[in-house]
């Protein structure tokens, strides 16, 4: 558990602020197990995963008050006064740091030197917890009076940094731009239909503030795209960027069932607004070398409490952007301007992103005009560094290529695949047994059968724990999986021991949730790793050994072919996974809302389908294309019955093909790992576990 947050990405020559820490120590909090209690209160579990004083031995149960949701609604509408905000902040603070965690937090603070700060990293398992405004958390420091109350807010303390870390985000490093100055691309946009008469957004002033902040830094260049359409934005990013800044309107578009997705508002022809939705933002900004995204737009970090990736900011973190700043509520224009001014002043002067965010929050809180909750509206997501990269030694000054990065990636890919296979096996065997026989429990022989299921699941948990101990996979993701699997197994064992059908239902629900989410997360990690493999370095290494045997030449050819197949299959698999998520969202919607949801999702689905068709299996591509065309025609004609039928046909054809894509992807992974590790292992000095 030594993986650390990249606390100072894009840091320039430092001119520290008095009182700011020079570096942060980690205080990692895991929030999970959300439940709604009968009396209206809510409960969660809190575990300290890492701190300067060590890990917590036991989880704690924390509660949120019954009137939490109404108070949050008033907060969002700016109808809470200062005292009410402090009271709400204390409720959030008490849930964030219950008694034992608070003690550990205070002891950790006591250990800090004057140069150190404490980074509170929130790892929320469940969108209900991720949607809470933890940035408003307030700790009662035993001080009296209004100034003391203000100092109790965690995010206004210069010695503290509160960041979010999304479980299951793609943690592998994205390509970075090589050479040249750091490049900021600022996108400014205010569509005509969103302008408030007499109160236009100050996007030009925001651009001027950013330019003034960075013009004294010779290592930074600024380009901008005003009145941006999607095409103009894409052209502005053709050369990549280190920092992406968006200034304009953001919205969270909700469906009738409460689900929704975030959007940044671009222009279309005629000056009207064009929603740049979550998935499109992530697709356009991924792989552009962006290390920091600043979304100076309302609701750009808001979620729907159901889908962890519904918001724009968390979606970008998931897509691999190392640092993302978004707004979880609406924000006053003057507050956004002040935030950008102070943030870029400090960042350009050499402060870390975390330090600059704290200074920007303080600038908002100190404004003469009343800004209310705006200091707590920004949310900072930081992605963790890839442990494998930290282990790789610098290339040796010789003609022999260093293959340790390739070898390390292969080992990491194998670990992710082994965990995925263990979960897939549990789904096909143990979970299938529970579903098939749960209705007759505890009669017949089900207690004995389910006892065997629990023992087999524990064997799988032991194997996952063994893989986690090698510390190649993402520690937070592995910890979260083990916690939830251990809890579900415990419930199953209790159900068998007590012959309790209700407890069995809880165990089945826990396993169902786990098996529906974690394989997808491990798939995403595998796809990202597969696209990063530099097998040409392995080929050069084998050639440098000057082994002129036919077997070596055959191995080199096989590796090149396999590597290219795997990269192509990884891209195809990632597109399929995204499209499958959209199908799942539609299928979960109420029947009376399904046609509306299909219409809303059709444009991004059609775009993904167009990317998939050239790579689809030849015998099925015509059926898939024909079903997609029928769906598009039915939507255009507003023929609900025909659209529903075409959607079902499209989904069934896609689902069968996706099974083949997934199977081939896993097979290519296994074959490449086997062949490459077989060739590389004798030169690594350490065995590879099978």
């Amino acid at each position: 558990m030594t993986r650390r947050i990249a606390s100072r990405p894009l840091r320039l020559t430092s001119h520290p602020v008095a009182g700011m820490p020079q570096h942060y120590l980690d205080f990692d909090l895991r929030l999970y197990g959300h439940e709604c209690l009968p009396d209206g209160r809510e409960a969660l579990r809190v575990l300290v995963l890492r701190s300067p004083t060590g890990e917590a031995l036991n989880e704690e149960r924390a509660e949120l008050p019954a009137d939490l949701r109404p108070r949050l609604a008033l907060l969002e509408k700016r109808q809470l006064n200062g005292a009410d905000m402090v009271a709400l902040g204390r409720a959030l603070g008490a849930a964030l740091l219950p008694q034992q965690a608070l003690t550990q937090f205070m002891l950790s603070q006591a250990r800090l030197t004057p140069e150190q700060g404490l980074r509170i990293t929130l790892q929320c398992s469940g969108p209900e917890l991720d949607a809470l405004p933890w940035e408003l958390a307030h700790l009662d420091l035993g001080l009296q009076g209004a100034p003391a109350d203000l100092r109790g807010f965690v995010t206004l303390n210069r010695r503290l940094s509160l960041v979010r870390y999304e479980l299951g985000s793609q943690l592998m490093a994205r390509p970075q731009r090589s050479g040249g100055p750091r490049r900021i691309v600022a996108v400014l946009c205010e569509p005509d239909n969103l302008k408030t008469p007499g109160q236009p957004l100050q996007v030009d002033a925001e651009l001027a503030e950013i330019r003034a902040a960075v013009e004294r830094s010779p290592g930074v260049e600024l380009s901008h795209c005003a009145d941006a359409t999607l095409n103009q934005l894409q052209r502005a990013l053709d050369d990549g960027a280190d920092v992406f800044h968006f200034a304009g309107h953001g919205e969270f578009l909700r469906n009738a069932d409460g689900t929704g997705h975030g959007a940044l508002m671009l222009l279309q022809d005629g000056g009207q607004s064009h929603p740049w939705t979550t998935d499109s933002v992530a697709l356009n900004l991924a792989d552009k070398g962006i290390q920091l995204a600043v979304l100076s737009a309302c609701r750009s970090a808001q979620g729907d409490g159901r889908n962890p990736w519904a918001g724009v900011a968390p979606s970008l973190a998931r897509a691999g952007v190392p640092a993302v700043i978004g707004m979880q509520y609406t924000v006053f224009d003057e507050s956004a301007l002040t935030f950008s001014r102070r943030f870029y002043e400090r960042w350009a002067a050499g402060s870390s992103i975390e330090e600059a965010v704290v200074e920007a929050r303080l600038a908002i809180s100190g404004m003469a005009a009343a800004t209310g909750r705006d200091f707590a509206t920004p949310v900072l997501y930081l992605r963790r560094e890839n442990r494998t990269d930290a282990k790789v030694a610098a290339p040796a000054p010789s003609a022999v290529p260093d293959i340790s990065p390739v070898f390390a990636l292969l080992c990491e890919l194998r670990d992710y695949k082994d965990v995925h296979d263990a979960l897939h096996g549990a789904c096909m065997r143990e979970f299938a047994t529970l579903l098939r026989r749960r209705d007759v429990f505890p009669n017949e022989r089900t207690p004995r059968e389910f006892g065997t299921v629990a023992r087999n699941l524990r064997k799988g948990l032991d194997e996952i724990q063994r893989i986690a101990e090698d510390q190649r996979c993402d520690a937070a993701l592995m910890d979260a999986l083990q916690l939830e699997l251990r809890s579900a197994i415990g419930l199953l064992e209790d159900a068998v021991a007590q012959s309790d059908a209700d407890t069995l239902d809880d165990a089945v629900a826990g396993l169902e949730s786990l098996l529906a989410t974690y394989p997808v997360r491990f798939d995403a990690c595998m796809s990202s790793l597969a696209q990063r493999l530099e097998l040409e370095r392995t080929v050069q290494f084998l050639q440098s050994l000057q082994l002129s045997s036919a077997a070596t030449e055959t191995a080199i050819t096989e590796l090149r072919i396999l590597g290219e197949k795997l990269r192509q299959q990884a891209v195809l698999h990632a597109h399929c996974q995204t499209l499958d998520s959209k199908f799942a969202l539609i299928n979960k919607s109420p029947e009376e809302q399904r046609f509306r949801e299909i219409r809303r999702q059709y444009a991004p689905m059609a775009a993904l389908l167009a990317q998939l068709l050239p790579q689809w299996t030849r015998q099925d591509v015509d059926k898939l294309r024909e079903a997609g065309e029928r769906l598009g025609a039915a939507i255009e004609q507003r023929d609900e019955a025909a659209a529903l039928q075409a959607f079902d046909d499209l989904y069934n054809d896609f689902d069968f093909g996706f099974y083949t894509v997934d199977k081939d992807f896993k097979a290519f992974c296994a074959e490449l790992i086997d062949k490459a590790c077989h060739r590389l292992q004798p030169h690594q000095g350490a065995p590879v576990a099978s």
Side-chain angles (χ1 to χ4, degrees), residues 230-518:
L230 182 56
N231 286 338
Q232 291 170 336
L233 181 147
Q234 290 170 333
R235 286 197 294 270
L237 290 171
D238 279 345
D239 295 329
D242 298 287
V243 179
F244 174 81
H245 182 96
F246 180 86
H249 287 287
E251 293 186 7
F252 194 84
L253 308 174
R254 287 195 178 274
N255 305 317
D257 63 354
T259 61
H261 62 279
L264 304 177
M265 308 309 288
L266 298 176
L267 284 178
Q268 57 183 333
D269 294 339
Q272 298 300 294
S273 59
H274 168 67
W276 191 29
T277 56
T278 299
D279 290 339
S280 181
V281 175
L283 286 170
N284 278 277
L285 298 190
D287 297 319
K288 291 295 184 180
I290 295 170
Q291 303 297 295
L292 166 65
V294 181
L295 309 178
S296 183
C298 297
R299 307 186 187 280
S300 50
Q302 183 174 336
D304 62 2
R306 302 185 186 184
N307 176 5
W309 316 118
V312 178
S315 179
L316 283 179
R318 182 195 190 196
V321 178
V324 184
I325 300 170
M327 305 294 169
Q328 59 187 320
Y329 295 127
T330 59
V331 60
F332 286 142
D333 194 22
E334 195 63 40
S335 297
L337 183 63
T338 299
F339 183 91
S340 293
R341 176 195 304 128
R342 187 58 176 156
F343 174 82
Y344 284 105
E345 281 178 356
R346 291 315 314 154
W347 176 77
S351 293
S352 71
I353 290 172
E354 294 175 86
E355 294 165 356
V357 167
V358 174
E359 287 298 317
R361 292 186 194 276
L362 287 165
I364 292 175
S365 71
M367 290 172 61
T371 57
R373 53 161 168 75
D374 280 356
F375 75 88
T377 297
V379 179
L380 171 61
Y381 294 89
L382 284 186
R383 194 191 70 205
R384 297 200 166 222
E385 292 175 339
N386 183 17
R387 188 181 185 86
T388 302
D389 293 341
K391 288 182 175 180
V392 175
S398 78
V400 179
D402 177 20
I403 46 100
S404 56
V406 182
F407 188 74
L409 282 178
L410 287 168
C411 293
E412 189 175 356
L413 179 61
R414 185 207 56 230
D415 285 355
Y416 279 118
K417 181 181 181 299
D418 287 347
V419 176
H420 183 280
D421 289 349
L423 293 174
H424 181 71
C427 183
M428 299 299 292
R429 295 188 303 269
E430 284 76 27
F431 186 64
T433 299
L434 291 176
L435 290 182
R436 189 175 64 253
R437 301 280 285 160
R438 65 188 294 185
D439 290 341
V440 295
F441 179 81
N443 300 325
E444 301 182 8
R445 295 186 301 173
T446 49
R448 179 178 297 179
E449 291 177 9
F450 290 176
T452 301
V453 166
R455 287 191 293 274
N456 290 339
L457 288 173
R458 283 228 173 259
K459 291 178 183 178
L461 178 61
D462 291 342
E463 175 64 13
I464 291 171
Q465 184 174 346
R466 182 194 65 75
I467 295 171
E469 288 171 353
D470 290 335
Q471 296 186 333
R472 283 186 286 261
C473 295
D474 170 44
L477 184 59
M478 294 294 284
D479 289 344
L481 171 60
Q482 291 178 82
L483 276 171
E484 294 186 31
L485 183 55
R486 188 175 294 113
S487 175
I489 295 172
L491 287 171
L492 178 58
E493 290 170 339
D494 290 344
V496 171
Q498 301 165 12
S499 296
D500 185 350
D502 290 339
T503 305
L504 176 68
D505 288 342
D506 291 341
V508 170
L511 284 171
E512 184 176 27
S513 174
L514 181 153
L515 294 171
T517 56
Y518 282 95

Side-chain angles (χ1 to χ4, degrees), residues 653-665:
D653 292 338
F654 166 80
D655 193 49
F656 181 79
F658 187 20
Y659 173 78
T660 303
V661 170
D662 188 68
K663 184 176 67 174
D664 290 347
F665 175 55

Side-chain angles (χ1 to χ4, degrees), residues 29-196:
L29 283 174
R30 169 105 165 97
L31 311 182
Y32 61 102
H34 176 266
E35 57 181 317
C36 296
L37 304 178
D39 60 359
R41 290 175 299 147
E42 298 176 48
L44 66 148
R45 299 178 188 277
V46 181
L47 184 65
V48 179
L49 295 175
R50 175 189 177 91
S51 80
T53 61
E55 301 175 7
L57 297 178
N58 300 300
E59 64 181 23
E60 287 184 87
R61 187 174 185 274
E63 291 186 355
L64 291 161
D67 62 348
L68 173 73
R69 299 296 166 175
R71 290 161 72 183
L72 289 178
L74 294 175
L75 177 74
E76 185 171 1
K77 296 175 182 176
R78 299 183 179 276
Q79 294 177 0
L80 292 185
N81 59 30
D84 291 336
M85 281 206 306
V86 169
L88 176 58
R90 284 177 174 166
L92 291 167
L96 187 68
L97 292 171
Q99 186 174 1
Q100 294 178 31
L102 180 60
T103 300
Q104 204 162 353
F105 175 78
M106 299 300 288
L107 290 173
S108 297
Q109 276 196 307
R111 289 194 178 191
L112 298 179
T113 67
E115 296 78 25
Q116 293 174 334
L118 201 60
R119 176 190 298 111
I120 306 171
T121 306
L122 301 188
Q123 303 173 13
C124 297
S125 177
E128 306 93 345
L129 297 174
D130 203 32
L132 294 177
W134 299 110
E135 288 72 16
L136 194 70
H138 185 288
L139 301 180
D140 189 351
L141 303 178
L143 303 174
Q144 304 297 322
D149 283 340
L150 192 63
R151 289 200 301 270
F153 286 111
V154 170
T155 52
L156 294 181
N157 189 325
R158 282 194 169 97
R159 301 295 299 280
L160 302 176
S161 172
L162 190 146
V163 303
R164 305 228 187 179
Y165 168 59
E166 286 295 327
L167 296 173
S169 60
Q170 295 180 11
L171 305 173
M172 284 55 75
R174 292 286 180 170
Q176 296 189 28
R177 296 173 63 252
S178 58
R182 298 291 189 184
R183 183 168 186 252
I184 301 176
V185 172
V187 174
L188 319 170
C189 190
E190 186 179 18
D192 292 339
N193 60 308
L194 298 181
K195 290 180 179 177
T196 302

